[in-house]
Structures are given as C-alpha cells and as structure tokens.
Amino acid sequence: EESSRMNAEIDNQKDALEQAKAQVRALLSEHRQTAEAAGVSGKTLIELETAVVEQKAANQIKLEKLALAVEVEEEASEALLRACAEAGVPPPGTLDDEYDEF
C-alpha cells in the first residue's frame, strides 16, 4: 500500500511539474514576442536565466546518475571527484548548495 501511495504521489508531482513547465514555456513565448515587438534582439535576461536554470537541472541529473553508477566502483568514484575538482565543478550532491541563487 505504501508503494502505491508513493507512486501516486510521484505521478501527481510529475503532472504538476509538466503543468509548470508548460506555463513557463507559454510565458517565455509571450515574453519573447513582447521583447521582439520592443525591438530587443538576442536573448533577454529572463531567457538567459531560464536557460541557466534548465542547464543546471540537466547537469545535476547527469552528475547524480553518474555518481550512482560509480558508487560501486571506488576508484571510479575517486576519479569523478578529481575530475570535478579539476574542472572547478562541485561534486554530485552539492550542486543545490552551490547554485541556490538561481
């Protein structure tokens, strides 16, 4: 029963997320039309910030999946941490702390 309840909750959250994403897309489309009508060329600050948030989420998902994949292999895990340090990227699990301002 607990599993069914959790699955229903996840489905509800997915639906809410999809609705929010649709709203954001619609608002960005309206924003783009307004900006173009005002003679703005190129990306606006709102569009750039939205792209940053979307990329941050995609990066976090990729890093978390990679961290899970290498969790069983300690050497690979250490290599991932070294690669993150060399690239100046926070290790998986710390991205929310580092990028809360977005």
Side-chain angles (χ1 to χ4, degrees):
E1 184 172 313
E2 180 69 17
S3 177
S4 295
R5 188 185 64 74
M6 290 187 76
N7 283 335
E9 186 177 327
I10 289 170
D11 287 340
N12 288 338
Q13 289 177 353
K14 283 173 48 178
D15 291 342
L17 178 59
E18 288 304 317
Q19 290 174 357
K21 286 169 64 176
Q23 283 182 307
V24 168
R25 281 191 298 272
L27 289 170
L28 278 174
S29 178
E30 288 176 23
H31 173 74
R32 167 65 11 221
Q33 290 173 357
T34 302
E36 287 176 355
V40 175
S41 61
K43 300 278 185 189
T44 65
L45 181 59
I46 291 171
E47 290 170 316
L48 292 171
E49 286 180 347
T50 301
V52 166
V53 169
E54 289 174 347
Q55 189 61 54
K56 176 202 167 234
N59 289 350
Q60 182 173 359
I61 289 168
K62 289 175 187 173
L63 280 172
E64 294 297 339
K65 285 181 180 180
L66 183 56
L68 287 173
V70 299
E71 217 170 58
V72 295
E73 182 64 48
E74 180 140 347
E75 185 176 309
S77 180
E78 291 172 5
L80 172 63
L81 293 175
R82 276 194 309 277
C84 286
E86 289 171 6
V89 175
T94 62
L95 291 177
D96 281 335
D97 298 337
E98 295 290 324
Y99 296 105
D100 277 342
E101 70 271 11
F102 296 108

